[in-house]
Amino acid sequence: MKIRIRQYMVSDLDAVLNSWEVATRLAHPFMTDDFIAQEKINVAEIYMPNTDTWVAEFEGEVKGFIALMGNEVGAIFLQPDCHGKGIGKLLMDKAQGLHGDLEVEVFKENSIGRRFYSRYGFELLEEKLHEPTGQQVLRLKFKAT
Amino acid sequence: MKSWKLFPKIEAIAKYVECYWFLEKESFNEGFDFPKLNPDPCSHLIISGLDRSFEYMYAANSQTVSGSHWIFPHVNTFTMDHSDLFRIIGIKFRTGALYSLNLKKSIVDLDKIEAVDIKHLVGSKTFSGDFLLTNAAEQEKQVCNILDNVLLPWLLESQEDKHSDLVRHILLLLSETTVTDIGDKLHRSQRTIERSFKRVAGLSMKQVKAMIHLEEMLNYLYQLKEGDIDWADVANKYGFSDQPHLIRHLKKSIGKTPASYAKQRDLAIDIYGNFEFN
């Protein structure tokens, strides 16, 4: 089992988008197809060109990524068949090594994401309504020690 | 209409940035199309998509820019064309902040609007106005955290000197203290503090003081209904010797007499509300 974390390249876009879409659908069952379609365009056109993104290669294939804007974790997604192997932790370790304290937002309904963040050591800052989806969003903070 | 206003979390940023704000006009039938912007000693950096143009007018002068831009300190009241839909994030800098950020030449130009490439300005590879604007309405804390991150390296390059240090002290006193007393309190001659102030803020102390008081007065009037305003009381409260002085001051600064202003209520605060209370 070989995991490698490296900087994102434009040629990773398809693999990154695929991991985003599969994992997003699993974690956010409340999202409509329309909402996901629009977000997918945003990920490709707005988020990826403007974030500091790192990908996780597992056995030579890109299986997931973490997108950073400073210490803000804009996104971390991983192919569901790669969950539970410590790959997400390695991606987060990369972000933590670069920025120390980290902040992230997660839908309250996203139990997969919330379990991951809470195990990593993120703590709740606040909870609020996300109007486009009508869902509650949690803002979390990780304090480096 | 959506809006918010939040403060930077990092002290090194708060030293120069007073607040971040957001404003979105979502449909054509909301708001008044030509709100006015009262004089302001602070510079605002406006983040906008490139496809949107903005017009600022005063007297016979009109300035139009597309995309992100600076609104430098202005002594005139601007009329803005807000007839189209728009979505903007503002970064409000403290009075005189640009002096310390190597933008000295810019602030000499009062009443100026200037297009700006923010990515280049702050030297950040990951800055994206589009990203921030896409998320701004819903994720204000995230947007502010990202702005803190983006601005920090740039603001850490700031340079303070004896003039900016002195002005920082003057600004703490300016609103409540007479210009003569400020010199005494800071153990400097009148001439020295005036010169440093003009150099850093691009305006005289008297001008900035008048703008601060005008802003305070407008915030106060905003909370009152037309019929509830006692102008003699307002004049007294905001340091005018009598009502005619207040009338002349308003006419000169926002181009309206108190009575016609109270009727029309066409300043940005009237159209978009006082962000503080949102």
Side-chain angles (χ1 to χ4, degrees):
Chain A
M1 190 176 91
K2 232 181 110 191
I3 303 163
R4 192 173 149 229
I5 307 296
R6 62 162 174 81
Q7 199 124 37
Y8 165 82
M9 297 181 291
V10 178
S11 53
D12 298 325
L13 184 62
D14 286 345
V16 161
L17 280 180
N18 186 269
S19 67
W20 174 81
E21 184 166 356
V22 177
T24 255
R25 285 185 186 276
L26 180 72
H28 309 123
F30 53 84
M31 285 183 185
T32 62
D33 285 346
D34 283 352
F35 185 81
I36 289 184
Q38 180 56 50
E39 272 296 290
K40 192 171 179 177
I41 295 171
N42 288 346
V43 172
E45 294 179 1
I46 301 178
Y47 301 6
M48 295 315 294
N50 297 300
T51 52
D52 179 26
T53 298
W54 297 78
V55 297
E57 271 183 6
F58 180 60
E59 292 170 347
E61 279 181 55
V62 172
K63 294 291 189 183
F65 69 101
I66 186 165
L68 306 170
M69 283 150 295
N71 77 339
E72 181 80 28
V73 178
I76 174 167
F77 287 96
L78 196 58
Q79 291 288 355
D81 59 1
C82 291
H83 287 184
K85 297 187 195 314
I87 304 177
K89 182 176 182 302
L90 287 177
L91 284 168
M92 196 60 87
D93 285 347
K94 173 47 95 176
Q96 210 258 305
L98 290 169
H99 297 287
D101 294 359
L102 300 170
E103 296 190 24
V104 70
E105 294 195 357
V106 61
F107 282 105
K108 199 174 182 180
E109 287 287 296
N110 176 357
S111 52
I112 303 172
R114 284 181 60 191
R115 199 160 48 235
F116 171 75
Y117 294 127
S118 118
R119 273 197 202 151
Y120 197 87
F122 278 83
E123 284 174 9
L124 183 69
L125 277 181
E126 64 162 16
E127 174 174 344
K128 58 172 185 163
L129 179 71
H130 181 254
E131 269 183 44
T133 54
Q135 295 286 322
Q136 292 296 116
V137 167
L138 310 179
R139 186 159 181 85
L140 312 177
K141 181 166 184 107
F142 174 83
K143 270 205 168 294
T145 42
Chain B
M1 205 67 74
K2 280 186 182 142
S3 69
W4 51 253
K5 170 170 160 180
L6 285 170
F7 303 99
K9 285 182 300 182
I10 302 173
E11 208 172 315
I13 294 174
K15 190 171 175 189
Y16 298 108
V17 174
E18 191 171 312
C19 65
Y20 304 126
W21 54 267
F22 171 71
L23 184 61
E24 176 171 16
K25 180 173 175 178
E26 299 169 289
S27 72
F28 284 106
N29 49 22
E30 58 180 5
F32 170 68
D33 286 345
F34 297 95
K36 293 197 165 105
L37 213 49
N38 55 277
D40 191 343
C42 300
S43 294
H44 292 252
L45 186 55
I46 308 295
I47 303 173
S48 152
L50 255 184
D51 53 349
R52 179 68 172 83
S53 75
F54 298 85
E55 189 176 4
Y56 297 85
M57 295 159 276
Y58 69 90
N61 179 305
S62 160
Q63 304 176 75
T64 304
V65 284
S66 292
S68 297
H69 56 278
W70 281 108
I71 303 176
F72 289 124
H74 53 108
V75 293
N76 282 289
T77 290
F78 287 145
T79 300
M80 302 179 285
D81 183 347
H82 276 182
S83 48
D84 271 341
L85 305 184
F86 66 90
R87 191 195 278 172
I88 51 180
I89 295 168
I91 302 173
K92 181 181 185 184
F93 287 81
R94 295 188 184 280
T95 303
L98 270 50
Y99 174 84
S100 305
L101 297 171
N102 265 330
L103 292 162
K104 293 174 197 174
K105 60 179 188 327
S106 318
I107 66 159
V108 182
D109 297 322
L110 293 175
D111 296 315
K112 266 261 165 69
I113 306 296
E114 193 175 283
V116 61
D117 177 351
I118 299 180
K119 215 167 176 157
H120 183 253
L121 174 74
V122 302
S124 160
K125 268 183 274 178
T126 56
F127 175 83
S128 164
D130 286 341
F131 177 87
L132 295 173
L133 291 162
T134 305
N135 288 335
E138 293 301 327
Q139 286 157 285
E140 66 258 34
K141 291 270 172 65
Q142 184 188 58
V143 164
C144 293
N145 184 42
I146 294 170
L147 283 173
D148 274 357
N149 274 277
V150 165
L151 296 179
L152 188 62
W154 174 47
L155 296 183
L156 286 176
E157 282 173 26
S158 61
Q159 286 175 341
E160 296 292 326
D161 62 15
K162 61 177 182 179
H163 302 293
S164 58
D165 280 340
L166 183 57
V167 169
R168 206 172 291 279
H169 287 105
I170 298 171
L171 284 169
L172 290 174
L173 299 168
L174 191 58
S175 172
E176 309 289 327
T177 321
T178 66
V179 171
T180 344
D181 284 351
I182 292 175
D184 292 345
K185 281 202 170 163
L186 298 176
H187 311 293
R188 299 288 208 297
S189 76
Q190 195 66 28
R191 207 174 124 89
T192 305
I193 60 169
E194 273 296 357
R195 230 184 0 213
S196 288
F197 195 87
K198 179 91 193 180
R199 184 177 172 135
V200 172
L203 294 157
S204 71
M205 290 164 62
K206 198 177 152 203
Q207 279 175 309
V208 172
K209 194 174 177 141
M211 290 176 186
I212 295 172
H213 284 168
L214 175 66
E215 176 94 17
E216 287 169 357
M217 184 168 75
L218 294 171
N219 281 333
Y220 172 69
L221 292 175
Y222 172 69
Q223 299 166 53
L224 299 178
K225 292 201 197 78
E226 187 188 346
D228 295 338
I229 302 174
D230 175 349
W231 289 103
D233 176 54
V234 172
N236 179 39
K237 208 177 171 103
Y238 291 95
F240 296 94
S241 49
D242 55 23
Q243 232 172 309
H245 276 92
L246 168 65
I247 295 171
R248 268 204 299 277
H249 181 69
L250 269 190
K251 191 97 184 50
K252 193 162 162 250
S253 55
I254 64 169
K256 283 202 168 65
T257 62
S260 68
Y261 168 64
K263 247 193 188 54
Q264 298 186 356
R265 300 276 190 159
D266 57 354
L267 290 169
I269 183 175
D270 304 307
I271 313 302
Y272 299 125
N274 186 337
F275 289 24
E276 302 259 21
F277 298 116
N278 285 346

